Amino acid sequence: MTSEQRKSFGSDNHAGAHPAVLTALAAANIGDATAYGDDPLTEQVTARLCAEFGAAAAFFVFGGTAANVLGLGLMLRPFEAVICAESAHLNGDECGAAERVLGSKLLTVPAPGGKLTPDLIASQLAGRGNSHRAQPRAVEIAQATEVGTVYTLDELRAISEFCRASDLLLYVDGARLANAAAYLDCTLADLAAHADVLSFGGTKNGAMGAEAVIVMNEPLAAAMPFQRMQLMQLASKMRFLAAQFGALLQDDLWRANAAHANAMARRLAEGASAADGVEIVRPVQANAVFARLHPRHIAALQHDWTFHVWDEDDSVVRWMTAFDTTELDVDTFLADIRSTALREPHGPGLAHSG
Ligand SMILES: Cc1ncc(COP(=O)(O)O)c(C=O)c1O
């Protein structure tokens, strides 16, 4: 295998599109269709999405960051703020999109395992009613989280009950909602029932640039058509976004893709944990594996493989699997994890001391 042929463990974003998505795009390409979502395919797939989630409305957009900004935008007045985990993608990896576009303050909380709890949310409510403080109005959580963990249905219920009792709205970043549903073996509706608005990621699940904003709290939906256009996420050839979700919904392809990616992450974690000098540092629940390795071991692996060094100071890497990661990809990577560990000049099994 040359390094060009090696599977990337860098991100599920590195994967191509699922063949069924490409077939659906080709089918949608036949003939003309009315623009901006007034076409039969968009109507049909939107209705299927709403049925799947038990939702009031669903809207296609191009990207996950846009879905987060638009979803939260339905909830906030200019002086209102969002409570989120410090580790949230919204906070750390979206270039301040929410702050710039919505002009809303993010009230961030250090969250163990990437997860908020009612107590952590409550810790941000002290300034309520004080006109000198941004007013908490929305809570943002990611399912699965940025660190590959998944909220249980009980944890979600506790957060949503707390939010409802505290006059807070709940937004769920579902860029990897499919992976969470596959891990929990629950329906999308089971997860969505706890949210006011959520996103449903297509791209990381086999689409090629299609996400959906799902509105559960009906009155919030009215502003979306205007906001989506103003914020440049209204696709003129909408049928091509709808077609991708149509393919993922067909026979629950989304679940098969996510379950497969999760299984490949588990296989990788199990194999790697048996290798010298590798410590799995987080529960492997969705499709990400976080592991601590000696820095020289990381450098040796990076020679041939693509993955992220997540925390350089702590020598932690992230290996991510996708719908198209094969058992052979994982086993080939594992063989190199083992062989590069053994090639370490100071011997295998060195604990990182930094
Ligand atoms: C949890 C999470 N939310 C949102 C996004 C943003 O998606 P996009 O890159 O499509 O804007 C990502 C991207 O990796 C993500 O991991």
Side-chain angles (χ1 to χ4, degrees):
M1 224 187 237
T2 67
S3 73
E4 288 80 48
Q5 289 168 326
R6 284 170 196 266
K7 181 66 180 154
S8 170
F9 288 88
S11 173
D12 40 15
N13 281 325
H14 291 198
H18 192 281
V21 167
L22 296 178
T23 302
L25 283 166
N29 195 39
I30 296 167
D32 289 348
T34 315
Y36 299 112
D38 289 331
D39 64 279
L41 184 61
T42 301
E43 274 169 33
Q44 182 200 320
V45 179
T46 302
R48 277 167 66 193
L49 262 185
C50 287
E52 195 82 37
F53 281 84
F59 303 89
F60 301 116
V61 297
F62 296 109
T65 301
N68 290 343
V69 170
L70 286 170
L72 285 165
L74 300 177
M75 301 176 162
L76 300 166
R77 291 177 289 179
F79 55 87
E80 290 176 332
V82 183
I83 299 170
C84 65
E86 209 170 66
S87 57
H89 199 271
L90 178 77
N91 180 45
D93 292 292
E94 298 182 2
C95 195
E99 290 100 319
R100 176 180 171 165
V101 177
L102 304 175
S104 304
K105 188 170 180 63
L106 301 183
L107 300 169
T108 62
V109 198
K115 291 188 194 177
L116 288 183
T117 61
D119 284 348
L120 290 175
I121 296 166
S123 73
Q124 295 300 307
L125 298 180
R128 274 191 149 175
N130 179 344
S131 62
H132 296 265
R133 302 274 178 84
Q135 295 298 293
R137 176 62 175 141
V139 170
E140 187 267 1
I141 61 174
Q143 177 73 323
T145 72
E146 192 56 10
V147 293
T149 49
V150 173
Y151 288 87
T152 65
L153 290 176
D154 283 345
E155 287 170 335
L156 283 182
R157 187 173 307 107
I159 289 175
S160 75
E161 282 172 3
F162 179 83
C163 287
R164 278 169 199 161
S166 310
D167 198 23
L168 292 163
L169 295 166
L170 183 60
Y171 175 79
V172 177
D173 172 348
R176 296 191 182 86
L177 198 75
N179 301 85
Y183 173 71
L184 295 173
D185 195 20
C186 69
T187 65
L188 294 170
D190 290 335
L191 297 174
H194 300 293
D196 291 286
V197 181
L198 68 160
S199 62
F200 180 40
T203 308
K204 295 166 180 31
N205 189 250
M208 47 174 285
E211 311 280 307
V213 178
I214 312 286
V215 182
M216 306 300 293
N217 182 338
E218 191 165 7
L220 296 179
M224 186 58 148
F226 309 101
Q227 192 178 272
R228 181 175 57 173
M229 180 73 252
Q230 192 174 53
L231 294 181
M232 300 161 283
Q233 287 290 312
L234 181 65
S236 53
K237 295 189 179 178
M238 184 75 81
R239 62 180 149 145
F240 293 115
L241 299 190
Q244 297 180 59
F245 273 100
L248 294 178
L249 290 173
Q250 186 68 40
D251 300 325
D252 286 348
L253 177 62
W254 64 269
R255 186 185 290 280
N257 285 350
H260 176 79
N262 292 357
M264 292 304 100
R266 280 197 306 277
R267 183 182 185 91
L268 178 56
E270 277 160 24
S273 64
D276 282 326
V278 179
E279 183 193 350
I280 305 300
V281 294
R282 294 195 181 279
V284 178
Q285 297 178 336
N287 59 329
V289 178
F290 290 83
R292 184 178 293 118
L293 284 74
H294 193 286
R296 279 194 300 276
H297 193 176
I298 296 174
L301 276 173
Q302 279 183 315
H303 187 260
D304 286 323
W305 296 92
T306 302
F307 56 86
H308 287 298
V309 177
W310 192 257
D311 183 339
E312 200 152 2
D313 294 338
D314 201 22
S315 206
V316 169
V317 298
R318 185 190 74 176
W319 297 322
M320 189 163 255
T321 54
F323 71 89
D324 62 348
T325 306
T326 64
E327 290 187 355
L328 179 62
D329 294 329
V330 172
D331 294 348
T332 309
F333 188 35
L334 282 171
D336 271 11
I337 290 171
R338 284 190 291 268
S339 66
T340 48
L342 292 173
R343 278 208 302 270
E344 280 299 315
H346 298 292
L350 281 178
H352 176 58
S353 55

mmCIF file of all heavy atoms in Angstrom, residues 52-53 143-144 149-151 153 156 174 176-192 200 205 254-256 258-259 262 285-286:
data_model
loop_
_atom_site.group_PDB
_atom_site.id
_atom_site.type_symbol
_atom_site.label_atom_id
_atom_site.label_comp_id
_atom_site.label_asym_id
_atom_site.label_seq_id
_atom_site.Cartn_x
_atom_site.Cartn_y
_atom_site.Cartn_z
ATOM 1 N N GLU A 52 -39.040 11.367 10.230
ATOM 2 C CA GLU A 52 -37.990 10.623 10.943
ATOM 3 C C GLU A 52 -37.698 11.231 12.312
ATOM 4 O O GLU A 52 -37.450 10.526 13.286
ATOM 5 C CB GLU A 52 -36.723 10.643 10.079
ATOM 6 C CG GLU A 52 -35.657 9.667 10.449
ATOM 7 C CD GLU A 52 -35.910 8.264 9.897
ATOM 8 O OE1 GLU A 52 -36.424 8.121 8.768
ATOM 9 O OE2 GLU A 52 -35.598 7.329 10.615
ATOM 10 N N PHE A 53 -37.723 12.556 12.364
ATOM 11 C CA PHE A 53 -37.374 13.257 13.615
ATOM 12 C C PHE A 53 -38.602 13.605 14.462
ATOM 13 O O PHE A 53 -38.453 14.025 15.605
ATOM 14 C CB PHE A 53 -36.623 14.562 13.301
ATOM 15 C CG PHE A 53 -35.168 14.362 12.972
ATOM 16 C CD1 PHE A 53 -34.753 14.038 11.692
ATOM 17 C CD2 PHE A 53 -34.201 14.481 13.957
ATOM 18 C CE1 PHE A 53 -33.411 13.847 11.387
ATOM 19 C CE2 PHE A 53 -32.857 14.300 13.669
ATOM 20 C CZ PHE A 53 -32.465 13.984 12.382
ATOM 21 N N GLN A 143 -23.879 16.173 19.977
ATOM 22 C CA GLN A 143 -24.199 14.748 20.090
ATOM 23 C C GLN A 143 -23.832 14.101 18.775
ATOM 24 O O GLN A 143 -24.518 14.322 17.791
ATOM 25 C CB GLN A 143 -25.696 14.582 20.398
ATOM 26 C CG GLN A 143 -26.226 13.193 20.493
ATOM 27 C CD GLN A 143 -25.814 12.440 21.755
ATOM 28 O OE1 GLN A 143 -24.692 12.587 22.245
ATOM 29 N NE2 GLN A 143 -26.696 11.618 22.268
ATOM 30 N N ALA A 144 -22.744 13.361 18.603
ATOM 31 C CA ALA A 144 -21.713 13.082 19.582
ATOM 32 C C ALA A 144 -20.868 14.339 19.857
ATOM 33 O O ALA A 144 -20.863 15.275 19.053
ATOM 34 C CB ALA A 144 -20.818 11.966 19.062
ATOM 35 N N THR A 149 -17.503 11.405 22.666
ATOM 36 C CA THR A 149 -18.393 10.807 23.662
ATOM 37 C C THR A 149 -19.853 11.070 23.257
ATOM 38 O O THR A 149 -20.141 11.967 22.467
ATOM 39 C CB THR A 149 -18.121 11.372 25.068
ATOM 40 O OG1 THR A 149 -18.092 12.807 24.985
ATOM 41 C CG2 THR A 149 -16.786 10.880 25.601
ATOM 42 N N VAL A 150 -20.747 10.286 23.831
ATOM 43 C CA VAL A 150 -22.158 10.361 23.469
ATOM 44 C C VAL A 150 -22.991 10.547 24.741
ATOM 45 O O VAL A 150 -22.809 9.808 25.722
ATOM 46 C CB VAL A 150 -22.585 9.065 22.732
ATOM 47 C CG1 VAL A 150 -24.093 9.027 22.496
ATOM 48 C CG2 VAL A 150 -21.843 8.943 21.393
ATOM 49 N N TYR A 151 -23.869 11.539 24.746
ATOM 50 C CA TYR A 151 -24.806 11.702 25.858
ATOM 51 C C TYR A 151 -25.782 10.534 25.848
ATOM 52 O O TYR A 151 -26.349 10.200 24.796
ATOM 53 C CB TYR A 151 -25.626 12.989 25.700
ATOM 54 C CG TYR A 151 -24.881 14.283 25.925
ATOM 55 C CD1 TYR A 151 -24.196 14.910 24.896
ATOM 56 C CD2 TYR A 151 -24.895 14.909 27.172
ATOM 57 C CE1 TYR A 151 -23.534 16.120 25.095
ATOM 58 C CE2 TYR A 151 -24.236 16.116 27.382
ATOM 59 C CZ TYR A 151 -23.562 16.715 26.342
ATOM 60 O OH TYR A 151 -22.913 17.909 26.543
ATOM 61 N N LEU A 153 -29.469 8.797 26.736
ATOM 62 C CA LEU A 153 -30.817 9.395 26.673
ATOM 63 C C LEU A 153 -31.196 9.989 28.026
ATOM 64 O O LEU A 153 -31.856 11.032 28.087
ATOM 65 C CB LEU A 153 -31.833 8.356 26.209
ATOM 66 C CG LEU A 153 -31.697 7.933 24.733
ATOM 67 C CD1 LEU A 153 -32.686 6.821 24.404
ATOM 68 C CD2 LEU A 153 -31.890 9.103 23.789
ATOM 69 N N LEU A 156 -29.467 13.332 28.304
ATOM 70 C CA LEU A 156 -30.166 14.315 27.457
ATOM 71 C C LEU A 156 -31.457 14.778 28.125
ATOM 72 O O LEU A 156 -31.783 15.973 28.117
ATOM 73 C CB LEU A 156 -30.513 13.705 26.099
ATOM 74 C CG LEU A 156 -29.406 13.563 25.072
ATOM 75 C CD1 LEU A 156 -29.990 12.975 23.794
ATOM 76 C CD2 LEU A 156 -28.740 14.903 24.784
ATOM 77 N N GLY A 174 -25.619 18.325 15.774
ATOM 78 C CA GLY A 174 -25.688 16.912 15.388
ATOM 79 C C GLY A 174 -24.854 16.604 14.171
ATOM 80 O O GLY A 174 -25.250 15.764 13.348
ATOM 81 N N ARG A 176 -22.524 14.780 14.072
ATOM 82 C CA ARG A 176 -22.378 13.308 14.126
ATOM 83 C C ARG A 176 -23.548 12.685 14.886
ATOM 84 O O ARG A 176 -23.368 11.739 15.663
ATOM 85 C CB ARG A 176 -21.033 12.930 14.765
ATOM 86 C CG ARG A 176 -19.856 13.382 13.940
ATOM 87 C CD ARG A 176 -18.520 12.832 14.371
ATOM 88 N NE ARG A 176 -17.475 13.392 13.530
ATOM 89 C CZ ARG A 176 -16.874 14.566 13.762
ATOM 90 N NH1 ARG A 176 -17.178 15.273 14.826
ATOM 91 N NH2 ARG A 176 -15.952 15.024 12.921
ATOM 92 N N LEU A 177 -24.728 13.201 14.640
ATOM 93 C CA LEU A 177 -25.922 12.651 15.299
ATOM 94 C C LEU A 177 -26.120 11.180 14.919
ATOM 95 O O LEU A 177 -26.540 10.356 15.742
ATOM 96 C CB LEU A 177 -27.161 13.463 14.896
ATOM 97 C CG LEU A 177 -28.362 13.297 15.808
ATOM 98 C CD1 LEU A 177 -28.146 14.057 17.117
ATOM 99 C CD2 LEU A 177 -29.644 13.794 15.149
ATOM 100 N N ALA A 178 -25.820 10.858 13.677
ATOM 101 C CA ALA A 178 -25.990 9.473 13.209
ATOM 102 C C ALA A 178 -25.115 8.530 14.030
ATOM 103 O O ALA A 178 -25.567 7.440 14.425
ATOM 104 C CB ALA A 178 -25.623 9.382 11.726
ATOM 105 N N ASN A 179 -23.874 8.950 14.313
ATOM 106 C CA ASN A 179 -22.981 8.089 15.105
ATOM 107 C C ASN A 179 -23.517 7.907 16.514
ATOM 108 O O ASN A 179 -23.399 6.835 17.107
ATOM 109 C CB ASN A 179 -21.576 8.699 15.151
ATOM 110 C CG ASN A 179 -21.005 8.872 13.768
ATOM 111 O OD1 ASN A 179 -21.265 9.877 13.112
ATOM 112 N ND2 ASN A 179 -20.284 7.881 13.281
ATOM 113 N N ALA A 180 -24.121 8.970 17.057
ATOM 114 C CA ALA A 180 -24.686 8.875 18.407
ATOM 115 C C ALA A 180 -25.893 7.935 18.414
ATOM 116 O O ALA A 180 -26.027 7.083 19.301
ATOM 117 C CB ALA A 180 -25.085 10.264 18.899
ATOM 118 N N ALA A 181 -26.767 8.069 17.428
ATOM 119 C CA ALA A 181 -27.956 7.200 17.367
ATOM 120 C C ALA A 181 -27.546 5.745 17.179
ATOM 121 O O ALA A 181 -28.148 4.833 17.776
ATOM 122 C CB ALA A 181 -28.882 7.647 16.231
ATOM 123 N N ALA A 182 -26.519 5.527 16.360
ATOM 124 C CA ALA A 182 -26.047 4.148 16.162
ATOM 125 C C ALA A 182 -25.465 3.599 17.457
ATOM 126 O O ALA A 182 -25.714 2.450 17.831
ATOM 127 C CB ALA A 182 -25.010 4.112 15.040
ATOM 128 N N TYR A 183 -24.701 4.416 18.159
ATOM 129 C CA TYR A 183 -24.094 3.957 19.422
ATOM 130 C C TYR A 183 -25.166 3.626 20.451
ATOM 131 O O TYR A 183 -25.097 2.612 21.153
ATOM 132 C CB TYR A 183 -23.134 5.028 19.960
ATOM 133 C CG TYR A 183 -22.613 4.681 21.337
ATOM 134 C CD1 TYR A 183 -21.704 3.639 21.518
ATOM 135 C CD2 TYR A 183 -23.056 5.376 22.462
ATOM 136 C CE1 TYR A 183 -21.243 3.297 22.786
ATOM 137 C CE2 TYR A 183 -22.598 5.042 23.734
ATOM 138 C CZ TYR A 183 -21.699 3.998 23.891
ATOM 139 O OH TYR A 183 -21.255 3.656 25.144
ATOM 140 N N LEU A 184 -26.179 4.506 20.544
ATOM 141 C CA LEU A 184 -27.224 4.301 21.561
ATOM 142 C C LEU A 184 -28.285 3.307 21.110
ATOM 143 O O LEU A 184 -29.152 2.931 21.900
ATOM 144 C CB LEU A 184 -27.898 5.646 21.889
ATOM 145 C CG LEU A 184 -27.015 6.709 22.552
ATOM 146 C CD1 LEU A 184 -27.769 8.035 22.643
ATOM 147 C CD2 LEU A 184 -26.560 6.267 23.942
ATOM 148 N N ASP A 185 -28.237 2.940 19.826
ATOM 149 C CA ASP A 185 -29.257 2.085 19.228
ATOM 150 C C ASP A 185 -30.654 2.670 19.460
ATOM 151 O O ASP A 185 -31.580 1.972 19.880
ATOM 152 C CB ASP A 185 -29.159 0.651 19.810
ATOM 153 C CG ASP A 185 -29.935 -0.344 18.955
ATOM 154 O OD1 ASP A 185 -30.198 -0.027 17.785
ATOM 155 O OD2 ASP A 185 -30.292 -1.429 19.464
ATOM 156 N N CYS A 186 -30.764 3.946 19.177
ATOM 157 C CA CYS A 186 -32.057 4.628 19.336
ATOM 158 C C CYS A 186 -32.428 5.291 18.008
ATOM 159 O O CYS A 186 -31.642 5.278 17.055
ATOM 160 C CB CYS A 186 -31.975 5.669 20.460
ATOM 161 S SG CYS A 186 -30.921 7.072 20.054
ATOM 162 N N THR A 187 -33.618 5.861 17.958
ATOM 163 C CA THR A 187 -34.034 6.546 16.729
ATOM 164 C C THR A 187 -33.558 7.996 16.754
ATOM 165 O O THR A 187 -33.197 8.536 17.815
ATOM 166 C CB THR A 187 -35.567 6.530 16.596
ATOM 167 O OG1 THR A 187 -36.112 7.312 17.678
ATOM 168 C CG2 THR A 187 -36.130 5.123 16.648
ATOM 169 N N LEU A 188 -33.628 8.622 15.594
ATOM 170 C CA LEU A 188 -33.311 10.051 15.534
ATOM 171 C C LEU A 188 -34.346 10.835 16.333
ATOM 172 O O LEU A 188 -34.027 11.835 16.978
ATOM 173 C CB LEU A 188 -33.276 10.512 14.068
ATOM 174 C CG LEU A 188 -32.143 9.892 13.240
ATOM 175 C CD1 LEU A 188 -32.322 10.206 11.758
ATOM 176 C CD2 LEU A 188 -30.771 10.371 13.728
ATOM 177 N N ALA A 189 -35.578 10.352 16.309
ATOM 178 C CA ALA A 189 -36.639 11.035 17.070
ATOM 179 C C ALA A 189 -36.375 10.962 18.571
ATOM 180 O O ALA A 189 -36.665 11.916 19.301
ATOM 181 C CB ALA A 189 -37.997 10.417 16.726
ATOM 182 N N ASP A 190 -35.799 9.840 19.040
ATOM 183 C CA ASP A 190 -35.471 9.728 20.471
ATOM 184 C C ASP A 190 -34.508 10.834 20.893
ATOM 185 O O ASP A 190 -34.614 11.379 22.000
ATOM 186 C CB ASP A 190 -34.792 8.377 20.778
ATOM 187 C CG ASP A 190 -35.749 7.197 20.662
ATOM 188 O OD1 ASP A 190 -36.967 7.401 20.815
ATOM 189 O OD2 ASP A 190 -35.262 6.067 20.413
ATOM 190 N N LEU A 191 -33.554 11.123 20.024
ATOM 191 C CA LEU A 191 -32.568 12.162 20.344
ATOM 192 C C LEU A 191 -33.183 13.549 20.192
ATOM 193 O O LEU A 191 -32.981 14.437 21.020
ATOM 194 C CB LEU A 191 -31.350 12.038 19.416
ATOM 195 C CG LEU A 191 -30.554 10.741 19.544
ATOM 196 C CD1 LEU A 191 -29.461 10.676 18.483
ATOM 197 C CD2 LEU A 191 -29.942 10.632 20.929
ATOM 198 N N ALA A 192 -33.936 13.718 19.118
ATOM 199 C CA ALA A 192 -34.468 15.052 18.800
ATOM 200 C C ALA A 192 -35.506 15.519 19.802
ATOM 201 O O ALA A 192 -35.677 16.726 20.009
ATOM 202 C CB ALA A 192 -35.074 15.018 17.396
ATOM 203 N N PHE A 200 -28.488 17.923 11.712
ATOM 204 C CA PHE A 200 -28.305 16.519 11.345
ATOM 205 C C PHE A 200 -27.252 16.499 10.243
ATOM 206 O O PHE A 200 -27.493 16.984 9.133
ATOM 207 C CB PHE A 200 -29.636 15.929 10.863
ATOM 208 C CG PHE A 200 -29.561 14.472 10.447
ATOM 209 C CD1 PHE A 200 -28.800 13.546 11.154
ATOM 210 C CD2 PHE A 200 -30.278 14.024 9.341
ATOM 211 C CE1 PHE A 200 -28.744 12.206 10.773
ATOM 212 C CE2 PHE A 200 -30.236 12.687 8.953
ATOM 213 C CZ PHE A 200 -29.468 11.779 9.680
ATOM 214 N N ASN A 205 -21.277 11.602 7.213
ATOM 215 C CA ASN A 205 -21.968 10.319 7.121
ATOM 216 C C ASN A 205 -22.011 9.788 5.681
ATOM 217 O O ASN A 205 -22.614 8.758 5.432
ATOM 218 C CB ASN A 205 -23.389 10.503 7.695
ATOM 219 C CG ASN A 205 -24.144 9.201 7.872
ATOM 220 O OD1 ASN A 205 -25.106 8.947 7.141
ATOM 221 N ND2 ASN A 205 -23.727 8.381 8.805
ATOM 222 N N TRP A 254 -28.024 5.961 6.624
ATOM 223 C CA TRP A 254 -27.297 6.786 7.606
ATOM 224 C C TRP A 254 -26.861 5.946 8.807
ATOM 225 O O TRP A 254 -25.760 6.102 9.328
ATOM 226 C CB TRP A 254 -28.160 7.979 8.061
ATOM 227 C CG TRP A 254 -29.417 7.583 8.797
ATOM 228 C CD1 TRP A 254 -30.645 7.351 8.252
ATOM 229 C CD2 TRP A 254 -29.545 7.321 10.204
ATOM 230 N NE1 TRP A 254 -31.540 6.959 9.232
ATOM 231 C CE2 TRP A 254 -30.884 6.947 10.436
ATOM 232 C CE3 TRP A 254 -28.673 7.376 11.282
ATOM 233 C CZ2 TRP A 254 -31.363 6.622 11.711
ATOM 234 C CZ3 TRP A 254 -29.135 7.056 12.555
ATOM 235 C CH2 TRP A 254 -30.480 6.686 12.756
ATOM 236 N N ARG A 255 -27.758 5.040 9.245
ATOM 237 C CA ARG A 255 -27.445 4.245 10.434
ATOM 238 C C ARG A 255 -26.361 3.207 10.111
ATOM 239 O O ARG A 255 -25.430 3.007 10.902
ATOM 240 C CB ARG A 255 -28.699 3.547 10.969
ATOM 241 C CG ARG A 255 -28.452 2.821 12.292
ATOM 242 C CD ARG A 255 -29.656 2.028 12.761
ATOM 243 N NE ARG A 255 -30.773 2.844 13.195
ATOM 244 C CZ ARG A 255 -30.860 3.429 14.402
ATOM 245 N NH1 ARG A 255 -29.895 3.276 15.281
ATOM 246 N NH2 ARG A 255 -31.916 4.155 14.710
ATOM 247 N N ALA A 256 -26.483 2.576 8.956
ATOM 248 C CA ALA A 256 -25.474 1.581 8.576
ATOM 249 C C ALA A 256 -24.101 2.246 8.464
ATOM 250 O O ALA A 256 -23.091 1.704 8.946
ATOM 251 C CB ALA A 256 -25.862 0.924 7.256
ATOM 252 N N ALA A 258 -23.023 4.989 9.936
ATOM 253 C CA ALA A 258 -22.525 5.408 11.254
ATOM 254 C C ALA A 258 -22.128 4.205 12.097
ATOM 255 O O ALA A 258 -21.083 4.212 12.766
ATOM 256 C CB ALA A 258 -23.592 6.233 11.966
ATOM 257 N N ALA A 259 -22.945 3.162 12.068
ATOM 258 C CA ALA A 259 -22.637 1.971 12.866
ATOM 259 C C ALA A 259 -21.314 1.362 12.398
ATOM 260 O O ALA A 259 -20.496 0.903 13.205
ATOM 261 C CB ALA A 259 -23.765 0.951 12.753
ATOM 262 N N ASN A 262 -18.439 3.563 13.622
ATOM 263 C CA ASN A 262 -18.251 3.321 15.068
ATOM 264 C C ASN A 262 -17.547 1.984 15.315
ATOM 265 O O ASN A 262 -16.668 1.875 16.160
ATOM 266 C CB ASN A 262 -19.605 3.295 15.788
ATOM 267 C CG ASN A 262 -20.305 4.647 15.822
ATOM 268 O OD1 ASN A 262 -19.763 5.642 15.350
ATOM 269 N ND2 ASN A 262 -21.513 4.684 16.372
ATOM 270 N N GLN A 285 -16.946 5.777 21.837
ATOM 271 C CA GLN A 285 -18.404 5.601 21.714
ATOM 272 C C GLN A 285 -18.877 5.893 20.297
ATOM 273 O O GLN A 285 -19.683 5.152 19.747
ATOM 274 C CB GLN A 285 -19.099 6.494 22.746
ATOM 275 C CG GLN A 285 -18.729 6.073 24.169
ATOM 276 C CD GLN A 285 -19.314 6.922 25.255
ATOM 277 O OE1 GLN A 285 -19.647 8.088 25.051
ATOM 278 N NE2 GLN A 285 -19.456 6.349 26.440
ATOM 279 N N ALA A 286 -18.394 6.964 19.713
ATOM 280 C CA ALA A 286 -18.745 7.258 18.317
ATOM 281 C C ALA A 286 -17.591 6.779 17.437
ATOM 282 O O ALA A 286 -17.116 5.649 17.617
ATOM 283 C CB ALA A 286 -19.041 8.745 18.159
#
